[in-house]
Structures are given as C-alpha cells and as structure tokens.
Amino acid sequence: MKNNMAISRVLITLALATACSAAAVNVQHHVNPEIEKDFVGIQFGENSSEPGVMNLIMMPDELTNGAMCLDGTPTGFYYVKASDPKHANDWQIYFQGGGWCYDEEDCWGRSKGSLGSSKSWAKTSAMGGIMSSDPTVNPDFAGFNRVHMPYCDGNSFSGNRDEPVVVNGDKLYFRGRRNIDATFRALNKLGLSQAENVLLTGCSAGGLATYLHTDYVGTLLPSTVKKYRASSISGFFLLHDTVEGKPVYPTEMKNIFTLANSTHGVNDDCIASKTLDDQWECNFAQESYAHIKNPIFPLNSALDSWQTGCIYTSELPPNFPNQNGTENGECAAVQAYAQCARNPESCTGPQMTVMNKYITDFEAIMANTTTYTKAGNGAFIHSCHTHCEAQSGAWNTFTVNGKTIQQAVSEWWNGPGDAPAAGNTYKPCMYHTTSPHKCNPTC
C-alpha cells in the first residue's frame, strides 16, 4: 500500500476543476490549503482488491429519509469487514474531516467538490495510524470492522435543516445528522447490530464531530455493546479570539451553526445548558466535551497547526457573512504573524510567548471541565505543530513522558472503565522563547 498524499492532491484538483465551472457564473471558487492537513495518512483509490482497503458503499435509498450531501447527491461510507475472526464483533468508526463552510457562498463553493458532493468519491479508502490495517502499526484496532464516513455536509455532520437553501440557483442541503442516522442503519445490516466493542474516532472537522456526536452515537448502538469509547483527533478547536483580539473563528462557526440548523444536530445536554442566544457555542468541542457522558480520550496538539493559522491569526473574508466569492476563511492573515503561524521556528521571542499563551489557554480550557478528570477518561495533548498526526506515522513516533500516541491509547482502551483519568493524561511542553523553539524532540 502506498503511503502518500494522493487524497490531498485529488481534493485540490477537484476543487480547482470546480473553480472553472464557478467562473461561468462569475464566482471564483477559493480553496483553503489548510484543508490538506486533514487528509494526512489517508489514501483514496480505485482498486478494491488491495488488502486492508475500505470499499465505498453508497446509500441512494436513504435520499427519501433526507440523508444527502450539500448538493443533494447520496451519501455513503467506506467499510471493510474485520480481518481477524476474534474481532468479528468489534468496530472502529471514523468521521472524516475537511474544515467547514461558513456562509452561503462558501457552502455553495464546497458543494461543487468532494467535500459537498459524492459525485467524485473514490471507490476505496485506506488509512494510517489509528485506522491502519497493519497490526504492527495499530495492534489494538487493525483487525476490527472499520468504517470511514466521508464528510459532505459542511458542519461536522451536524446539519439538520429540513428545507434547502438556494444559492446561485442551486439547492444546498444541510443534512449531516441524517447522514449519521442513515450510516448506522446500513451498518446494522452489516453486523453492527451484534457489536461488542466500539471505538468512535475522527480527525479535524471529524474530530469535532466526535465530540459533538459521541453520546448520540451511543444511543444508536445495540444492547450487545460491552465497551464503547471515543478518541477524537485534532478536533478540540478553541472558541478563541485572534492575536489581535478579534472573534474571527467564533463568528464563522456561529454563522454555519445557524445556517445548517445544527441546534438538534449537536450534543443535546450542551444545548439544554445554554440560553437561546448562546446555543451556537455548542458547535465547539470545549462546550460539548464538558457534557460528554461516554469515555473519551482526546488526541490533540495544544499548538495545532490549523489553529495557529485559521483561529489565532485569521481574518474574516470581506463582507462576511455575505461575501461575494467563495472564500473559505482567511488563515494566517495577520501579516506580522504569517510566518510564525505556519512554523513556530520562524517566530521571534515575543511571538513565541504569544504562541505559548495559546498552549496555556488550551490546557486551561480543557482542564476546566469535569470530563477531563472523570474516571475512565484521559487525554494525549502534545506540543508538536501538526494536525491529524494520529492518523499518520506520528501515531508511533510522537511521545510524551516516554509513551507514543499508540501506546497511550492502547493503555486507555485496554484499561478498566473506572481507571483514574490522571493515569491516562499526557500534557504538552512549552516552546522555548529562544531558538530553537521546539520543546519536544520527537516532533
């Protein structure tokens, strides 16, 4: 199996092809290059005979139940049966990432590519790290029934809007929650109805989906399940202002929450705890995390490379939320921090102090919940300036306190459900303010 970035190239190619059709109506389709980070370790292909690959199963029959992508095409999922007979009733289910769209024009642009339409989805998917089919890489889960849920609703599988939104003459459907329901109905027919052990995971926007839907997915599982746990990858996106004190990312996520009608597509307990005006905050991991009942083990960088550019040093596109083009946010747009946001080694000493502030904020926000210290939980939070690393080779190489991500997850997964969280919690280091700045040599 080749280990490359083919999927990233495919997505960018599709998006650029979309730009050509978009130009016909005088709208340029902008591609956010940061989305490429969400697909590290993933390879899409066309050869279903390759060992370990998950095969695409489409669900056109679920259109009548409202399950569909932004453009109204059917949704589907990638699946491979357990390769080890002893894991015949064990399942690993993965939410794909791919950023978000933030307003109508942005979502319209997304609907023209593979993150908003199933028209060009590949026949197979193969993954690394936590979703690897290689037992030497992924000894705990490689033999499980494995499911990869493609992402095409624009808001972390939480869209739940009945009527489409018409943009540039095209209908946009926000149906992420119904896509989840449809997938689980199909999986039950493939054997999920007899499941015993289930791990829910996902990266980036799919990592956020893991926080938003862990408890809901728990209600969809059969009574045969003995162990159900979740481990989100790079999904703890902070509700945080920029280095200039602007609420850019919160504004973007509030707008898509409303546009997609996600009130009943996120954590219900979080929604119940908020006033009507503040329910949009439940579109953030930190808010849903505080209410999650099932065991959860976040995997995240406290100085995540997507967050430093697209949250901490970002700007809103002109005229947002009524932008003229299909810009998907403006990342690393604070010029003084443009290079620093992309590579901490390019930061000055004072800038590194500002970046370290994001790490301390990340730690404080996560730790300021009962979920963080709840028995049965844990977290692997490191300082490497990466994104979706746990689905790549870093799964077996990044270490904190002498443990790799894989080893830490293994101890948590195989440990008792009432194990103290402190014993499964790994914390980040602070970057040096003098060069070289890196504090974790395994990054």
Side-chain angles (χ1 to χ4, degrees), residues 152 213 263 404:
C152 66
H213 307 305
T263 304
T404 65

Side-chain angles (χ1 to χ4, degrees), residues 254-277:
K254 180 179 181 179
N255 199 68
I256 185 56
F257 177 86
T258 302
L259 178 61
N261 190 38
S262 295
T263 304
H264 298 294
V266 297
N267 185 286
D268 285 338
D269 289 340
C270 181
I271 291 293
S273 74
K274 300 288 185 180
T275 65
L276 184 63
D277 289 343

Side-chain angles (χ1 to χ4, degrees), residues 364-426:
I365 290 168
M366 178 170 274
N368 190 32
T369 65
T370 56
T371 307
Y372 184 73
T373 55
K374 182 181 176 182
N377 291 344
F380 191 100
I381 311 301
H382 59 87
S383 299
C384 302
H385 192 242
T386 51
H387 190 67
C388 288
E389 58 284 337
Q391 62 188 41
S392 72
W395 166 249
N396 302 104
T397 60
F398 284 5
T399 67
V400 174
N401 296 339
K403 296 283 179 64
T404 65
I405 305 174
Q406 184 275 318
Q407 290 168 339
V409 171
S410 182
E411 288 191 8
W412 165 75
W413 173 257
N414 292 303
D418 59 354
N424 286 310
T425 300
Y426 303 80

Side-chain angles (χ1 to χ4, degrees), residues 291-305:
H291 295 275
I292 293 174
K293 298 183 179 72
N294 289 284
I296 189 164
F297 192 86
L299 308 174
N300 225 104
S301 169
L303 196 69
D304 178 272
S305 61

Side-chain angles (χ1 to χ4, degrees), residues 84-101:
D84 187 336
K86 73 179 181 182
H87 290 305
N89 293 320
D90 298 336
W91 290 75
Q92 186 179 30
I93 302 170
Y94 171 89
F95 286 120
Q96 180 186 298
W100 305 267
C101 55

